[in-house]
Amino acid sequence: MSVTFDNLGEAAQLELGMWPAEVPEGHHFSVVEVLPRLLDLLATRKVKATFFVEGLNAEMYPQALHSIVAAGHEVAVHAWRHEEWAALDAESEVALLERATSAMRSIGIEPRGFRPPGGGLTERTLGLLGEHGYSYVSPAGEREGLLEGLAVLPFRWPLVDAYAYLPTFAGLRERYGEGADPITPEAMQAKMIAALQSHSEQDGHLALLFHPFSVAFTGDAGWEALDSVLGETVRLAATGSLAATGSLTVMRMDKAAAWILERPEALECPPQLDDATWMTP
């Protein structure tokens, strides 16, 4: 399984036109305040994670990205400025992927993974990622697999902290039968721990998805929930499954992708993707 984090800085707010013109850029709380605390927590728990960040951050916060890498974590790409990827036209998709990839390489980071904001891919995405040297993609879905030479390591919407907390995800919560009301950090924690315990007795890959801004948004309860999930991750990885019939291996997404790409015969079925997006009514 992999612990992952999406978004950094003000990239998404800039894309949505929500960043106040009078507020200086380059000092976002998720970078200045949340990221150092997050890296400390991961170090305490001895968990290596994957951070999917917008390419713009390579220009705005290069030192922050290097601090992630220096701590042993992976930096992967989350579009240029958090564009809804599946809605892009061909010209925009080509330009934005090129821009994000080049920005990362310009500061010495070679991205191997890509997670599309919104969870969806276009019919062009896999081919473009291959052309740019990526080895894996992480869209919304239920089962890992191989497509066009890439490892596909999906995330599940119900195992995303923003899905639980934010009002904008009400439609998705209703789709999955959880009602429109936000889910508490304690309930999200319980759901993720249950998923970990179940997965420790199964084959396949599991991705848990957090957002630095979401952890801060929920205050102490959010930090406690994250710490509890990390604690259970470490416990299961140390002891194997509860039934002692399997094991849980914690690794960065690039390491999981490499494992799959080296053993294609281990995958009996193609990946199963999810057509739901954050915009689901």
Side-chain angles (χ1 to χ4, degrees), residues 146-166:
L146 292 171
L147 285 176
E148 297 187 29
L150 296 176
V152 182
L153 300 173
F155 68 89
R156 305 173 192 171
W157 282 116
L159 299 179
V160 176
D161 65 346
Y163 160 96
Y165 301 153
L166 300 186

Side-chain angles (χ1 to χ4, degrees), residues 160-234:
V160 176
D161 65 346
Y163 160 96
Y165 301 153
L166 300 186
T168 51
F169 284 83
L172 265 181
R173 289 191 292 268
E174 288 186 307
R175 175 179 176 132
Y176 290 106
E178 300 191 70
D181 293 338
I183 298 168
T184 66
E186 293 79 9
M188 185 278 294
Q189 167 190 326
K191 184 192 302 183
M192 287 194 174
I193 287 177
L196 282 167
Q197 293 172 344
S198 174
H199 187 68
S200 69
E201 300 175 358
Q202 302 173 17
D203 293 329
H205 180 263
L206 176 71
L208 300 183
L209 200 166
F210 300 90
H211 293 76
F213 75 84
S214 290
V215 177
F217 174 76
T218 48
D220 289 344
W223 283 103
E224 291 169 6
L226 172 60
D227 186 42
S228 294
V229 171
L230 292 176
E232 184 66 4
T233 298
V234 172

